[in-house]
Amino acid sequence: MKGLVSLFIGVFGTFAFSWVGLTVIPNLQIGALNPQMDEEGTDIYPAPKSGMAERGRRIYAANGCIYCHSQQVRPDYASSDIDRKWGERRSAPRDYIFDRPVVLGQERMGPDLANIGKRAPAEEEKPAAAPAANSPAASPVAAQSPPANAAPAKPGATSSPPGSPAAPPQPPPAAAASPSPSASPNPNGVPPVYSAAWHHRHLYAPRSVNPDNGDSTMPAYKFLYQKHQINGERSADALALSGREAPPPGWEIVPTYEAKCLVAYLMSLDQSHPLKEVKSAAGAAPPAASPPAPPAGSPPPASPKK
Amino acid sequence: MTPTADIPLKEPAVSAAAGDAEQLERARIDASTRVPVLMFYASAMAWLLIGTLLAGFVSFKLHSPDWLSDFSFLTWGRLRPVHMNVMIYGWGSMVAMGTAIWLMARLCRTTLRHPLLIVTGIWFWNIGVLIGVIGILMGYSTGYAWLEFPPYAAVVLFVAYVLIMSWAVLMFRFRRGDQIYITQWYLLGAFLWFPWLYAAAQAMLFVVPVQGVMQAAVGWWYANNLLFLWFGAIGLGTAYYMIPKVIGRPVYSYHLATIGFWTYALFSSWTGMQRLVDGPFPAWMITASIAATILTIIPVATVGLNHHMTMQGYFPVMRYSPTLRFTVFGAMSYTVFSVVGILISLRSTARYLHFTEASIAYSHIGLYAFFTMIMFGSMYYIVPRLVGREWRYATLIKLHFWASAYGVGLMSLMLLIGGLAQGVTQNDPSMSFIQSVASVLPYLRGRTVAALLLTISHFIFAFHFGLMLFGLGRTSTVPTFLNPIEAEGAEPHL
């Protein structure tokens, strides 16, 4: 009988120890954080998301985006996340205080999305209409962001030794197609990378946005889009599709409300605001990031490499 | 006089009359558990088949994403959590509860009271899992790993659990004999840990939700503890029963077992945060979990040594006994599981393995190679005692074993190596991200082959189990051996 009592006590004790240690105490430490603001009480970060973006988060969770995409930037000493331009600083608990469910992610079959909204072209009023005109304006932001990691190495993926991304002797034609989708008038009419229109097209037909994306294992989310017969004029938000994915003439593909929420959510993801508790990489990043750049010193598109 | 002397580990070779009384009592106990345990097993088998098919879909769709992607309920991101939850709550938990209740009745030497309440609980549990599955498919997943079921399904599961387990725990009240055998420690622990764990996680995520990243911490704390303190504990407890029982020899050392149990409870419950390595958390949390993961080498070493020493000289019995073969495979996988867990948790290796398929390998080694294989073994032992028939075809058992063993081995290798390839590429900023995807794709295709093997294995087992259930087993007093026993010594308790 004594054995049973001590067994009970031990069973409860060990578990209580773990419960208190791993959930209760951390919750005291980081479970009640407030947004950060400057002295004047302005410049508050983070802020709650809009209703549409919040709904988009539910859709993000419900459709399992979380199993392939993380939303956390690890520090530069432990990973290459910052080198990959997934963020300028590591993520901190305060970045997530309004997130529910929090979708930090567990695996990366797809790239990190912690700053995907930040990496959108700066202005994107009519993205599909005038990609070429649009992106130069966006260059300060766009240049340092998305295509950065993708562009220089891609030719390597398609053709040559994956080990040497430098491999500058790429044939110019290939380089011209891929270097910086945001800036290039893509033959397929792909909108600037990470613009809302791009996200829609990417969700609808993931492997159509970039010819080098053939290895992407992202499923298409066609069920978030509707096929309409065009009567009168094309809807403003119809997807600009071409080739295999294009609807038959007289038809158009338009996002459902859910798709719009999901894209609104993606566009809202932005951890670029500095936090006091995190050593801002703004100063640290350029020195850290510049060494790798020269080797990749391929033509102008190399600039994204920073 | 070892402390195990009066533990019914071994069918005692006493006088015929006393032996008959023992036999009779044991038959009575088995009879009282027949309906609920068989219901547990039948439900678990049904979920296992569903989960296996889903696993094949999920595995195939990951490298061929355009296959069946046009319907919302067939999208990869919904099928994957359904597969996981079906395996965890449908297959794993139900087979674990079935085996645990049977073991508990045997070890407490008391009949199972109120089996009808347990049967009701089983129905509720099945309904809960079904509601959860439909919820996820319809797009109501919560987004927390291993807890994707919508909260209303969780409520049903919890009620069902209380109905089931209160009676299992109450068996302690009516137990005969003062000794508490090692298996009972693990089972009692699991019975009490699970509801606390489940309720705490549900409460902290849905009832009074914690803020921000703490949700992820609670989620991983839950997932890892579920793996160790629920599935792992029942798996180890079962192994502690089956191995000595089948070879007819007491456990090598009670002291080792004590050390193994308490260090297991203490250290493995502190793991989990290593899955968040370098994430937005205070570093101490992650370091504590990494340290705890490393310390799990102590229970692994003691439990492994104990089982090994018990088996010493009896390894050839694995040639004949299906139960022993599956159980020893599972017990050995426990060591592999923990070693892999340590290897992928260290900061130096996590740099390459975090966020890769390697963590999927880890979960499968734990849930399949370790836990599920032991459960298969226990079913090979228990089912004949409930239906009064013996397994019909030794060949099917052998096929089941080898398909499962090769299947899970291949899957683990593919995911570990693929994860490493993926992680090394991801860690090198000069390689584009898509190259890391390309680097793991061949291994994902290999994993689909493994999934096919496991599908074959499970359908074979389900067929065999179905035969038993419908009374089509062999009528015989001799258990089914994997290979014909050669002249020298038949093992009576296979």
Side-chain angles (χ1 to χ4, degrees):
Chain A
M1 200 30 86
K2 198 164 142 256
L4 192 59
V5 172
S6 51
L7 183 62
F8 264 104
I9 292 173
V11 159
F12 274 99
T14 48
F15 193 71
F17 182 44
S18 141
W19 181 60
V20 170
L22 285 185
T23 69
V24 176
I25 291 177
N27 200 37
L28 295 177
Q29 190 181 354
I30 56 168
L33 298 174
N34 290 319
Q36 153 187 303
M37 57 182 82
D38 56 14
E39 292 80 30
E40 294 93 57
T42 55
D43 189 26
I44 299 170
Y45 174 83
K49 295 190 190 306
S50 74
M52 259 182 111
E54 274 303 326
R55 172 123 185 233
R57 185 205 305 283
R58 309 287 334 170
I59 294 160
Y60 184 94
N63 290 297
C65 307
I66 182 176
Y67 302 111
C68 289
H69 292 281
S70 59
Q71 287 187 23
Q72 49 174 314
V73 177
R74 291 175 292 167
D76 51 4
Y77 56 81
S79 74
S80 63
D81 294 4
I82 292 175
D83 287 343
R84 284 192 181 280
K85 303 286 177 287
W86 283 341
E88 287 164 4
R89 60 167 175 82
R90 68 172 296 178
S91 305
R94 204 182 300 275
D95 287 317
Y96 302 89
I97 54 178
F98 293 112
D99 290 13
R100 186 164 128 72
V102 73
V103 282
L104 290 179
Q106 44 189 306
E107 223 202 298
R108 284 175 177 165
M109 280 299 284
D112 189 87
L113 301 179
N115 286 291
I116 195 81
K118 166 76 162 61
R119 291 149 72 190
E123 301 165 35
E124 57 139 26
E125 318 94 312
K126 35 195 166 148
N134 183 14
S135 16
S139 59
V141 181
Q144 63 166 266
S145 40
N149 49 55
K154 247 167 211 156
T158 49
S159 57
S160 62
S164 63
Q170 310 144 349
S178 60
S180 131
S182 73
S184 71
N186 195 302
N188 289 340
V190 173
V193 173
Y194 304 140
S195 64
W198 185 91
H199 280 305
H200 278 302
R201 177 156 176 174
H202 188 232
L203 286 166
Y204 183 79
R207 277 160 292 287
S208 81
V209 289
N210 189 324
D212 294 329
N213 252 358
D215 281 327
S216 163
T217 59
M218 178 164 145
Y221 291 89
K222 293 204 163 104
F223 56 87
L224 293 177
Y225 293 83
Q226 284 172 332
K227 199 166 153 189
H228 278 214
Q229 196 153 20
I230 304 177
N231 56 41
E233 56 192 73
R234 254 170 80 88
S235 312
D237 51 6
L239 268 60
L241 293 162
S242 55
R244 217 157 50 84
E245 305 291 351
W251 293 75
E252 62 181 0
I253 306 288
V254 292
T256 59
Y257 184 64
E258 289 194 321
K260 288 181 191 167
C261 291
L262 180 57
V263 170
Y265 171 65
L266 292 173
M267 299 295 284
S268 77
L269 293 175
D270 178 356
Q271 296 183 349
S272 60
H273 195 288
L275 280 179
K276 278 176 223 140
E277 63 265 37
V278 181
K279 181 178 62 98
S280 173
S290 47
S298 30
S303 65
K305 203 73 197 148
K306 216 174 189 182
Chain B
M1 187 81 175
T2 64
T4 55
D6 54 347
I7 305 294
L9 275 184
K10 182 175 177 176
E11 323 265 347
V14 279
S15 74
D20 282 352
E22 283 271 329
Q23 289 285 351
L24 211 66
E25 186 202 358
R26 208 170 280 136
R28 223 160 36 87
I29 294 172
D30 285 352
S32 73
T33 62
R34 175 176 297 134
V35 175
V37 173
L38 281 178
M39 266 189 76
F40 268 121
Y41 284 169
S43 315
M45 286 305 305
W47 288 117
L48 177 67
L49 294 187
I50 295 172
T52 308
L53 292 176
L54 285 166
F57 282 12
V58 170
S59 178
F60 187 79
K61 280 163 78 84
L62 189 54
H63 55 73
S64 306
D66 285 329
W67 186 64
L68 289 183
S69 68
D70 288 349
F71 300 97
S72 59
F73 54 91
L74 289 180
T75 193
W76 187 86
R78 293 191 193 177
L79 289 187
R80 182 191 137 127
V82 170
H83 155 68
M84 267 192 318
N85 283 279
V86 162
M87 286 309 198
I88 291 169
Y89 300 102
W91 156 251
S93 295
M94 294 199 87
V95 73
M97 288 191 279
T99 295
I101 284 179
W102 185 87
L103 287 175
M104 213 51 160
R106 271 279 184 113
L107 289 168
C108 292
R109 291 203 275 162
T110 175
T111 52
L112 180 64
R113 286 163 180 77
H114 309 289
L116 277 184
L117 275 172
I118 295 189
V119 168
T120 318
I122 297 173
W123 280 109
F124 268 100
W125 187 276
N126 275 319
I127 291 169
V129 176
L130 189 66
I131 292 175
V133 164
I134 293 173
I136 296 178
L137 289 179
M138 288 176 57
Y140 296 101
S141 161
T142 62
Y144 302 107
W146 299 40
L147 286 166
E148 283 94 344
F149 282 171
Y152 44 81
V155 174
V156 181
L157 288 183
F158 197 82
V159 171
Y161 182 83
V162 172
L163 272 179
I164 294 165
M165 276 310 167
S166 44
W167 300 109
V169 174
L170 274 184
M171 275 194 270
F172 257 89
R173 246 183 75 76
F174 302 104
R175 78 186 194 285
R176 294 204 283 116
D178 260 353
Q179 270 287 347
I180 305 171
Y181 182 57
I182 310 163
T183 300
Q184 288 166 292
W185 310 342
Y186 282 98
L187 296 185
L188 192 71
F191 291 170
L192 299 175
W193 285 322
F194 177 74
W196 188 347
L197 187 59
Y198 199 57
Q202 293 285 338
M204 296 177 90
L205 292 178
F206 304 113
V207 184
V208 275
V210 289
Q211 189 193 44
V213 290
M214 274 311 294
Q215 299 162 48
V218 170
W220 279 120
W221 171 78
Y222 171 80
N224 254 49
N225 273 307
L226 191 74
L227 190 52
F228 279 103
L229 295 188
W230 175 238
F231 295 119
I234 292 185
L236 286 179
T238 309
Y240 265 118
Y241 182 88
M242 291 298 168
I243 293 177
K245 189 82 176 172
V246 171
I247 63 178
R249 190 182 194 210
V251 162
Y252 171 71
S253 160
Y254 242 58
H255 294 296
L256 275 182
T258 317
I259 298 171
F261 176 75
W262 290 115
T263 52
Y264 185 79
L266 193 61
F267 298 140
S268 62
S269 61
W270 266 76
T271 63
M273 302 303 134
Q274 79 274 18
R275 308 263 195 132
L276 296 163
V277 61
D278 295 320
F281 295 89
W284 70 263
M285 288 168 69
I286 289 152
T287 307
S289 269
I290 295 176
T293 309
I294 296 171
L295 285 171
T296 56
I297 199 70
I298 298 172
V300 170
T302 45
V303 172
L305 182 68
N306 214 356
H307 284 154
H308 185 87
M309 294 309 283
T310 310
M311 282 291 290
Q312 188 79 42
Y314 286 78
F315 280 99
V317 183
M318 286 171 67
R319 218 173 115 65
Y320 310 109
S321 163
T323 303
L324 195 66
R325 194 183 279 189
F326 277 93
T327 309
V328 170
F329 184 97
M332 287 175 167
S333 301
Y334 167 52
T335 308
V336 177
F337 168 60
S338 294
V339 171
V340 169
I342 293 169
L343 287 182
I344 68 174
S345 300
L346 303 173
R347 279 181 191 274
S348 47
T349 48
R351 190 181 170 103
Y352 299 101
L353 293 171
H354 190 40
F355 289 134
T356 70
E357 291 286 332
S359 62
I360 315 276
Y362 176 63
S363 307
H364 279 91
I365 296 173
L367 275 176
Y368 196 97
F370 163 36
F371 167 76
T372 293
M373 290 299 263
I374 290 182
M375 287 300 118
F376 284 149
S378 73
M379 285 177 78
Y380 277 116
Y381 188 86
I382 296 170
V383 172
R385 284 161 174 77
L386 298 179
V387 300
R389 301 286 157 96
E390 295 298 334
W391 295 94
R392 180 135 217 127
Y393 303 108
T395 320
L396 290 189
I397 305 179
K398 277 195 269 192
L399 274 175
H400 174 206
F401 178 79
W402 289 114
S404 279
Y406 276 114
V408 71
L410 180 66
M411 167 182 293
S412 313
L413 277 182
M414 286 293 138
L415 293 181
L416 281 174
I417 301 171
L420 189 64
Q422 185 188 10
V424 168
T425 320
Q426 278 185 16
N427 200 47
D428 177 356
S430 67
M431 313 268 265
S432 72
F433 182 83
I434 198 72
Q435 280 177 295
S436 77
V437 177
S439 67
V440 74
L441 274 179
Y443 299 98
L444 294 179
R445 297 199 178 96
R447 194 253 303 257
T448 300
V449 176
L452 197 66
L453 270 177
L454 293 177
T455 310
I456 294 170
S457 138
H458 296 163
F459 273 88
I460 289 173
F461 183 47
F463 169 73
H464 213 179
F465 176 76
L467 288 185
M468 294 291 275
L469 209 55
F470 293 111
L472 297 172
R474 286 187 308 115
T475 327
S476 163
T477 50
V478 186
T480 305
F481 302 122
L482 292 171
N483 293 298
I485 300 240
E486 286 101 47
E488 23 75 48
E491 299 295 331
H493 317 302
L494 309 192

